[in-house]
Amino acid sequence: MLGTYLKSVRDAKGMSLRNVEEKTGISNAFLSQLESGKVKQPSPLMLYKLAQLYSVPYETLMEQAGYPVPGGGIPDSRSASAVFDRLGKISSEEEQELLDYLFFLRSRARRDKRRK
Amino acid sequence: MLGTYLKSVRDAKGMSLRNVEEKTGISNAFLSQLESGKVKQPSPLMLYKLAQLYSVPYETLMEQAGYPVPGGGIPDSRSASAVFDRLGKISSEEEQELLDYLFFLRSRARRDKRRK
DNA sequence: ACGCCTTGCTTGATAAGTCAAGCAATATGG
DNA sequence: CCATATTGCTTGACTTATCAAGCAAGGCGT
């Protein structure tokens, strides 16, 4: 769901709703409804502002909102550095744990696939 | 203006409003208001259907409607530590799990601190 | 002239996005 | 421990998109 995704990104950046409101001009009330799923299709402009602030691709948000996207279901992957860039400041301990966790995710995925 | 453009395309194709309604599912009432400019920002879905029927690029309609268009913004942010570059691509599922995991790490850290 | 489609349009009515104001709970600092 | 700020959320009002129904003007065959 769009809302849970946006919330996870905001949480990861450690921003409050009012903090996001301040930087995007989108009211905290609306952001709350958006993250809780009460708003399903925010205007593309809102998605764009959030994409800018969160450093997340605009098309991804459009797609998650259920809007037709120009490329129409193109593969989604981006460089690892771009992803980690948007996590904000991470300590070296966190960095190591995240790397370990990512390898764990991938080994588990391989095992699941083999077990298909 | 978006409306005049859509009307010119429809006229060029020799279609009536009800004809377009039939093929797109968009009511002729709405099409009329759209072409006359009384509706300024139709949903991306409407624009997509019209783009399909008229064989005109979806992005063009989005742009004329005043919506941010994917290509118009800032391309990929980048630059990061070389450590992550070797990881290659990260899927959105992996990203989601990593974000969740980072949040978990941080909440655990906060709790530990409070509990000194 | 007379019916009868067809065409474009207007008009309520409904639904959904969006915000300002305010509330309850929690955090923070003196 | 108290005051104050912060945070997330709800509610009510407003705006806008969207549709169903209907209306007036014009074509077209008989």
Side-chain angles (χ1 to χ4, degrees):
Chain A
M1 157 97 24
L2 209 216
T4 59
Y5 176 69
L6 287 173
K7 175 164 172 49
S8 73
V9 176
R10 180 175 62 85
D11 285 342
K13 293 212 133 185
M15 299 191 211
S16 75
L17 291 180
R18 281 177 174 80
N19 201 332
V20 174
E21 163 175 354
E22 200 178 82
K23 308 225 173 196
T24 61
I26 304 172
S27 76
N28 67 80
F30 185 65
L31 290 169
S32 175
Q33 295 169 208
L34 180 50
E35 292 185 354
S36 73
K38 283 182 174 174
V39 166
K40 298 161 186 273
Q41 303 218 43
S43 92
L45 182 58
M46 306 286 154
L47 294 182
Y48 184 73
K49 287 177 181 171
L50 290 175
Q52 299 264 95
L53 177 62
Y54 292 156
S55 300
V56 78
Y58 175 45
E59 296 121 316
T60 299
L61 296 188
M62 289 290 282
E63 194 174 4
Q64 294 223 1
Y67 289 131
V69 53
I74 6 73
D76 87 289
S77 68
R78 57 219 88 120
S79 81
S81 62
V83 171
F84 279 90
D85 270 354
R86 104 170 66 89
L87 295 181
K89 301 179 64 65
I90 49 185
S91 68
S92 45
E93 293 91 353
E94 286 174 337
E95 172 182 331
Q96 190 53 58
E97 293 201 68
L98 284 179
L99 282 174
D100 290 345
Y101 188 60
L102 179 58
F103 283 120
F104 161 70
L105 284 179
R106 288 180 167 169
S107 61
R108 188 184 58 183
R110 270 195 303 278
R111 171 171 49 73
D112 289 348
K113 186 160 196 174
R114 206 181 312 121
R115 194 155 298 199
K116 157 77 197 293
Chain B
M1 158 102 26
L2 210 215
T4 59
Y5 175 68
L6 287 173
K7 175 163 173 50
S8 72
V9 174
R10 181 174 61 87
D11 285 342
K13 295 221 159 195
M15 301 191 210
S16 75
L17 291 180
R18 280 179 175 80
N19 200 333
V20 174
E21 163 176 354
E22 206 177 73
K23 308 229 171 196
T24 61
I26 304 172
S27 76
N28 66 78
F30 185 65
L31 291 168
S32 175
Q33 295 169 206
L34 180 50
E35 291 184 354
S36 74
K38 284 181 176 176
V39 166
K40 298 164 183 273
Q41 299 218 339
S43 91
L45 182 58
M46 305 287 155
L47 294 181
Y48 184 73
K49 288 177 181 170
L50 290 175
Q52 299 262 99
L53 177 62
Y54 291 156
S55 300
V56 45
Y58 174 45
E59 294 133 307
T60 299
L61 296 188
M62 289 289 282
E63 194 172 3
Q64 295 227 357
Y67 289 130
V69 52
I74 13 90
D76 244 337
S77 65
R78 23 134 298 98
S79 90
S81 66
V83 181
F84 299 128
D85 283 346
R86 289 181 309 145
L87 290 177
K89 305 293 186 175
I90 289 183
S91 75
S92 61
E93 288 91 352
E94 286 173 337
E95 177 187 356
Q96 183 65 60
E97 297 202 64
L98 284 177
L99 286 171
D100 289 346
Y101 187 61
L102 180 60
F103 184 60
F104 161 71
L105 283 180
R106 288 180 169 169
S107 61
R108 188 183 61 182
R110 247 184 279 110
R111 172 170 47 74
D112 289 349
K113 182 163 196 174
R114 199 181 318 118
R115 196 138 308 189
K116 139 56 189 333

PDB file of all heavy atoms in Angstrom, chain A residues 72-94:
ATOM      1  N   GLY A  72       4.720   1.961 -18.171  1.00  0.00           N
ATOM      2  CA  GLY A  72       3.814   0.832 -18.002  1.00  0.00           C
ATOM      3  C   GLY A  72       4.466  -0.442 -17.503  1.00  0.00           C
ATOM      4  O   GLY A  72       4.832  -1.297 -18.271  1.00  0.00           O
ATOM      5  N   GLY A  73       4.603  -0.569 -16.187  1.00  0.00           N
ATOM      6  CA  GLY A  73       5.111  -1.805 -15.596  1.00  0.00           C
ATOM      7  C   GLY A  73       6.521  -2.152 -15.984  1.00  0.00           C
ATOM      8  O   GLY A  73       6.836  -3.273 -16.308  1.00  0.00           O
ATOM      9  N   ILE A  74       7.404  -1.194 -15.962  1.00  0.00           N
ATOM     10  CA  ILE A  74       8.813  -1.430 -16.216  1.00  0.00           C
ATOM     11  C   ILE A  74       9.479  -1.986 -14.964  1.00  0.00           C
ATOM     12  O   ILE A  74       8.991  -1.792 -13.867  1.00  0.00           O
ATOM     13  CB  ILE A  74       9.560  -0.151 -16.651  1.00  0.00           C
ATOM     14  CG1 ILE A  74       8.624   1.043 -16.543  1.00  0.00           C
ATOM     15  CG2 ILE A  74      10.162  -0.298 -18.032  1.00  0.00           C
ATOM     16  CD1 ILE A  74       8.340   1.476 -15.140  1.00  0.00           C
ATOM     17  N   PRO A  75      10.565  -2.700 -15.129  1.00  0.00           N
ATOM     18  CA  PRO A  75      11.236  -3.307 -13.979  1.00  0.00           C
ATOM     19  C   PRO A  75      11.627  -2.247 -12.983  1.00  0.00           C
ATOM     20  O   PRO A  75      11.951  -1.127 -13.367  1.00  0.00           O
ATOM     21  CB  PRO A  75      12.478  -3.948 -14.598  1.00  0.00           C
ATOM     22  CG  PRO A  75      12.708  -3.181 -15.855  1.00  0.00           C
ATOM     23  CD  PRO A  75      11.351  -2.836 -16.362  1.00  0.00           C
ATOM     24  N   ASP A  76      11.608  -2.583 -11.712  1.00  0.00           N
ATOM     25  CA  ASP A  76      11.975  -1.598 -10.718  1.00  0.00           C
ATOM     26  C   ASP A  76      13.204  -2.045  -9.956  1.00  0.00           C
ATOM     27  O   ASP A  76      13.199  -3.003  -9.242  1.00  0.00           O
ATOM     28  CB  ASP A  76      10.801  -1.337  -9.777  1.00  0.00           C
ATOM     29  CG  ASP A  76      10.785  -2.313  -8.638  1.00  0.00           C
ATOM     30  OD1 ASP A  76      10.479  -3.491  -8.891  1.00  0.00           O
ATOM     31  OD2 ASP A  76      11.090  -1.907  -7.516  1.00  0.00           O
ATOM     32  N   SER A  77      14.252  -1.368 -10.191  1.00  0.00           N
ATOM     33  CA  SER A  77      15.473  -1.583  -9.432  1.00  0.00           C
ATOM     34  C   SER A  77      16.353  -0.379  -9.651  1.00  0.00           C
ATOM     35  O   SER A  77      16.296   0.259 -10.690  1.00  0.00           O
ATOM     36  CB  SER A  77      16.179  -2.838  -9.905  1.00  0.00           C
ATOM     37  OG  SER A  77      16.674  -2.663 -11.200  1.00  0.00           O
ATOM     38  N   ARG A  78      17.126  -0.052  -8.665  1.00  0.00           N
ATOM     39  CA  ARG A  78      18.022   1.085  -8.795  1.00  0.00           C
ATOM     40  C   ARG A  78      19.302   0.773  -8.063  1.00  0.00           C
ATOM     41  O   ARG A  78      19.400  -0.221  -7.375  1.00  0.00           O
ATOM     42  CB  ARG A  78      17.366   2.345  -8.261  1.00  0.00           C
ATOM     43  CG  ARG A  78      16.919   2.206  -6.824  1.00  0.00           C
ATOM     44  CD  ARG A  78      15.605   2.906  -6.680  1.00  0.00           C
ATOM     45  NE  ARG A  78      14.522   1.990  -6.989  1.00  0.00           N
ATOM     46  CZ  ARG A  78      13.577   1.683  -6.121  1.00  0.00           C
ATOM     47  NH1 ARG A  78      13.554   2.222  -4.941  1.00  0.00           N
ATOM     48  NH2 ARG A  78      12.624   0.849  -6.429  1.00  0.00           N
ATOM     49  N   SER A  79      20.247   1.616  -8.253  1.00  0.00           N
ATOM     50  CA  SER A  79      21.541   1.321  -7.652  1.00  0.00           C
ATOM     51  C   SER A  79      21.445   1.294  -6.144  1.00  0.00           C
ATOM     52  O   SER A  79      20.666   2.029  -5.547  1.00  0.00           O
ATOM     53  CB  SER A  79      22.557   2.370  -8.083  1.00  0.00           C
ATOM     54  OG  SER A  79      22.404   3.530  -7.298  1.00  0.00           O
ATOM     55  N   ALA A  80      22.203   0.420  -5.532  1.00  0.00           N
ATOM     56  CA  ALA A  80      22.162   0.295  -4.089  1.00  0.00           C
ATOM     57  C   ALA A  80      22.543   1.609  -3.424  1.00  0.00           C
ATOM     58  O   ALA A  80      21.964   1.992  -2.409  1.00  0.00           O
ATOM     59  CB  ALA A  80      23.114  -0.800  -3.635  1.00  0.00           C
ATOM     60  N   SER A  81      23.480   2.314  -4.016  1.00  0.00           N
ATOM     61  CA  SER A  81      23.916   3.564  -3.393  1.00  0.00           C
ATOM     62  C   SER A  81      22.776   4.569  -3.339  1.00  0.00           C
ATOM     63  O   SER A  81      22.608   5.282  -2.352  1.00  0.00           O
ATOM     64  CB  SER A  81      25.100   4.152  -4.144  1.00  0.00           C
ATOM     65  OG  SER A  81      24.729   4.460  -5.471  1.00  0.00           O
ATOM     66  N   ALA A  82      21.949   4.586  -4.387  1.00  0.00           N
ATOM     67  CA  ALA A  82      20.825   5.514  -4.393  1.00  0.00           C
ATOM     68  C   ALA A  82      19.863   5.190  -3.259  1.00  0.00           C
ATOM     69  O   ALA A  82      19.341   6.078  -2.600  1.00  0.00           O
ATOM     70  CB  ALA A  82      20.084   5.453  -5.732  1.00  0.00           C
ATOM     71  N   VAL A  83      19.658   3.905  -3.021  1.00  0.00           N
ATOM     72  CA  VAL A  83      18.762   3.502  -1.945  1.00  0.00           C
ATOM     73  C   VAL A  83      19.332   3.890  -0.593  1.00  0.00           C
ATOM     74  O   VAL A  83      18.664   4.505   0.226  1.00  0.00           O
ATOM     75  CB  VAL A  83      18.503   1.985  -1.975  1.00  0.00           C
ATOM     76  CG1 VAL A  83      17.761   1.557  -0.725  1.00  0.00           C
ATOM     77  CG2 VAL A  83      17.725   1.609  -3.216  1.00  0.00           C
ATOM     78  N   PHE A  84      20.595   3.570  -0.371  1.00  0.00           N
ATOM     79  CA  PHE A  84      21.175   3.870   0.926  1.00  0.00           C
ATOM     80  C   PHE A  84      21.334   5.358   1.152  1.00  0.00           C
ATOM     81  O   PHE A  84      21.304   5.832   2.279  1.00  0.00           O
ATOM     82  CB  PHE A  84      22.529   3.166   1.078  1.00  0.00           C
ATOM     83  CG  PHE A  84      22.382   1.720   1.464  1.00  0.00           C
ATOM     84  CD1 PHE A  84      22.282   0.734   0.502  1.00  0.00           C
ATOM     85  CD2 PHE A  84      22.297   1.362   2.799  1.00  0.00           C
ATOM     86  CE1 PHE A  84      22.120  -0.585   0.862  1.00  0.00           C
ATOM     87  CE2 PHE A  84      22.133   0.032   3.156  1.00  0.00           C
ATOM     88  CZ  PHE A  84      22.045  -0.942   2.198  1.00  0.00           C
ATOM     89  N   ASP A  85      21.457   6.110   0.065  1.00  0.00           N
ATOM     90  CA  ASP A  85      21.557   7.552   0.190  1.00  0.00           C
ATOM     91  C   ASP A  85      20.367   8.122   0.916  1.00  0.00           C
ATOM     92  O   ASP A  85      20.475   9.050   1.701  1.00  0.00           O
ATOM     93  CB  ASP A  85      21.639   8.189  -1.204  1.00  0.00           C
ATOM     94  CG  ASP A  85      23.084   8.308  -1.650  1.00  0.00           C
ATOM     95  OD1 ASP A  85      23.962   8.010  -0.823  1.00  0.00           O
ATOM     96  OD2 ASP A  85      23.305   8.692  -2.803  1.00  0.00           O
ATOM     97  N   ARG A  86      19.217   7.553   0.646  1.00  0.00           N
ATOM     98  CA  ARG A  86      18.017   8.181   1.179  1.00  0.00           C
ATOM     99  C   ARG A  86      17.680   7.699   2.572  1.00  0.00           C
ATOM    100  O   ARG A  86      16.705   8.118   3.161  1.00  0.00           O
ATOM    101  CB  ARG A  86      16.869   7.989   0.206  1.00  0.00           C
ATOM    102  CG  ARG A  86      15.850   6.968   0.569  1.00  0.00           C
ATOM    103  CD  ARG A  86      14.704   7.128  -0.375  1.00  0.00           C
ATOM    104  NE  ARG A  86      15.119   6.790  -1.736  1.00  0.00           N
ATOM    105  CZ  ARG A  86      15.033   5.557  -2.199  1.00  0.00           C
ATOM    106  NH1 ARG A  86      14.565   4.598  -1.466  1.00  0.00           N
ATOM    107  NH2 ARG A  86      15.414   5.302  -3.419  1.00  0.00           N
ATOM    108  N   LEU A  87      18.480   6.810   3.114  1.00  0.00           N
ATOM    109  CA  LEU A  87      18.240   6.365   4.481  1.00  0.00           C
ATOM    110  C   LEU A  87      18.693   7.412   5.493  1.00  0.00           C
ATOM    111  O   LEU A  87      18.507   7.243   6.678  1.00  0.00           O
ATOM    112  CB  LEU A  87      18.989   5.047   4.742  1.00  0.00           C
ATOM    113  CG  LEU A  87      18.497   3.865   3.922  1.00  0.00           C
ATOM    114  CD1 LEU A  87      19.295   2.625   4.278  1.00  0.00           C
ATOM    115  CD2 LEU A  87      17.023   3.625   4.177  1.00  0.00           C
ATOM    116  N   GLY A  88      19.270   8.482   5.011  1.00  0.00           N
ATOM    117  CA  GLY A  88      19.757   9.496   5.925  1.00  0.00           C
ATOM    118  C   GLY A  88      21.088   9.075   6.498  1.00  0.00           C
ATOM    119  O   GLY A  88      21.772   8.233   5.921  1.00  0.00           O
ATOM    120  N   LYS A  89      21.414   9.671   7.575  1.00  0.00           N
ATOM    121  CA  LYS A  89      22.705   9.339   8.176  1.00  0.00           C
ATOM    122  C   LYS A  89      22.628   7.992   8.871  1.00  0.00           C
ATOM    123  O   LYS A  89      21.722   7.743   9.651  1.00  0.00           O
ATOM    124  CB  LYS A  89      23.091  10.400   9.194  1.00  0.00           C
ATOM    125  CG  LYS A  89      23.191  11.792   8.609  1.00  0.00           C
ATOM    126  CD  LYS A  89      23.558  12.809   9.684  1.00  0.00           C
ATOM    127  CE  LYS A  89      24.916  12.580  10.267  1.00  0.00           C
ATOM    128  NZ  LYS A  89      26.011  12.757   9.298  1.00  0.00           N
ATOM    129  N   ILE A  90      23.545   7.127   8.550  1.00  0.00           N
ATOM    130  CA  ILE A  90      23.571   5.843   9.222  1.00  0.00           C
ATOM    131  C   ILE A  90      24.948   5.629   9.833  1.00  0.00           C
ATOM    132  O   ILE A  90      25.972   5.922   9.223  1.00  0.00           O
ATOM    133  CB  ILE A  90      23.241   4.681   8.269  1.00  0.00           C
ATOM    134  CG1 ILE A  90      24.069   4.781   7.001  1.00  0.00           C
ATOM    135  CG2 ILE A  90      21.776   4.660   7.921  1.00  0.00           C
ATOM    136  CD1 ILE A  90      23.694   3.742   5.990  1.00  0.00           C
ATOM    137  N   SER A  91      24.908   5.138  11.025  1.00  0.00           N
ATOM    138  CA  SER A  91      26.165   4.884  11.723  1.00  0.00           C
ATOM    139  C   SER A  91      26.859   3.683  11.094  1.00  0.00           C
ATOM    140  O   SER A  91      26.249   2.917  10.349  1.00  0.00           O
ATOM    141  CB  SER A  91      25.894   4.600  13.193  1.00  0.00           C
ATOM    142  OG  SER A  91      25.217   3.366  13.318  1.00  0.00           O
ATOM    143  N   SER A  92      28.111   3.499  11.393  1.00  0.00           N
ATOM    144  CA  SER A  92      28.823   2.363  10.802  1.00  0.00           C
ATOM    145  C   SER A  92      28.303   1.041  11.358  1.00  0.00           C
ATOM    146  O   SER A  92      28.308   0.027  10.657  1.00  0.00           O
ATOM    147  CB  SER A  92      30.327   2.489  11.045  1.00  0.00           C
ATOM    148  OG  SER A  92      30.566   2.861  12.390  1.00  0.00           O
ATOM    149  N   GLU A  93      27.801   1.067  12.598  1.00  0.00           N
ATOM    150  CA  GLU A  93      27.206  -0.161  13.125  1.00  0.00           C
ATOM    151  C   GLU A  93      25.963  -0.519  12.323  1.00  0.00           C
ATOM    152  O   GLU A  93      25.759  -1.663  11.939  1.00  0.00           O
ATOM    153  CB  GLU A  93      26.826  -0.007  14.602  1.00  0.00           C
ATOM    154  CG  GLU A  93      27.998   0.161  15.542  1.00  0.00           C
ATOM    155  CD  GLU A  93      28.326   1.626  15.726  1.00  0.00           C
ATOM    156  OE1 GLU A  93      27.732   2.456  15.020  1.00  0.00           O
ATOM    157  OE2 GLU A  93      29.195   1.931  16.578  1.00  0.00           O
ATOM    158  N   GLU A  94      25.124   0.485  12.100  1.00  0.00           N
ATOM    159  CA  GLU A  94      23.900   0.260  11.325  1.00  0.00           C
ATOM    160  C   GLU A  94      24.240  -0.194   9.915  1.00  0.00           C
ATOM    161  O   GLU A  94      23.613  -1.090   9.368  1.00  0.00           O
ATOM    162  CB  GLU A  94      23.070   1.551  11.254  1.00  0.00           C
ATOM    163  CG  GLU A  94      22.358   1.888  12.544  1.00  0.00           C
ATOM    164  CD  GLU A  94      21.664   3.232  12.481  1.00  0.00           C
ATOM    165  OE1 GLU A  94      22.063   4.078  11.649  1.00  0.00           O
ATOM    166  OE2 GLU A  94      20.724   3.442  13.255  1.00  0.00           O
TER     167      GLU A  94
END
